[in-house]
Amino acid sequence: MSMTDSIGSLTVATRGQWMTGVSTDIATTFARPAGKIGDVLHVKGSLVSMGKTLAFTRIDFTDSKGRIVAYGHHTKYIASTLNHEKNVTFSNDGEAIVEGKDEN
């Protein structure tokens, strides 16, 4: 569940959000055993939708064979973060900041 929280927040941050808002709904469903200690687990976060008040994310957890072992969703309240002075806009490929300031 904490990985769903972290990856959901990072997924929102990929849209240039300095602050990623407050969680309003979060859940993880475990579909099958993920393996044993030392096995590789892959995690992918996707932004389903982002509006003026809410952002919806989906997180997929897959094993080394590409099988879904768990999936989650994370809804964030973002209305108060949309106009933050430290937000940035990324290029279409996500590799460069085209608006705003790089704090690093």
Side-chain angles (χ1 to χ4, degrees):
M1 183 87 122
S2 66
M3 280 189 70
T4 298
D5 186 11
S6 297
I7 299 301
S9 295
L10 289 170
T11 300
V12 173
T14 66
R15 290 302 177 110
Q17 296 294 110
W18 176 259
M19 297 172 58
T20 61
V22 178
S23 300
T24 62
D25 187 28
I26 186 169
T28 306
T29 299
F30 301 92
R32 66 168 23 116
K36 54 187 180 295
I37 293 174
D39 286 352
V40 174
L41 180 68
H42 300 275
V43 183
K44 179 182 178 183
S46 303
L47 188 65
V48 175
S49 176
M50 187 166 158
K52 293 180 181 178
T53 56
L54 296 173
F56 301 89
T57 65
R58 176 183 166 97
I59 297 84
D60 290 328
F61 301 85
T62 55
D63 63 15
S64 59
K65 295 178 182 176
R67 298 178 298 191
I68 293 277
V69 297
Y71 54 92
H73 70 268
H74 191 184
T75 305
K76 306 277 289 188
Y77 176 76
I78 58 166
S80 59
T81 69
L82 287 178
N83 297 314
H84 194 281
E85 63 185 22
K86 292 186 177 182
N87 287 353
V88 297
T89 302
F90 293 110
S91 59
N92 288 337
D93 64 5
E95 294 294 323
I97 294 174
V98 296
E99 187 176 322
K101 184 178 174 184
D102 186 356
E103 294 291 323
N104 291 325

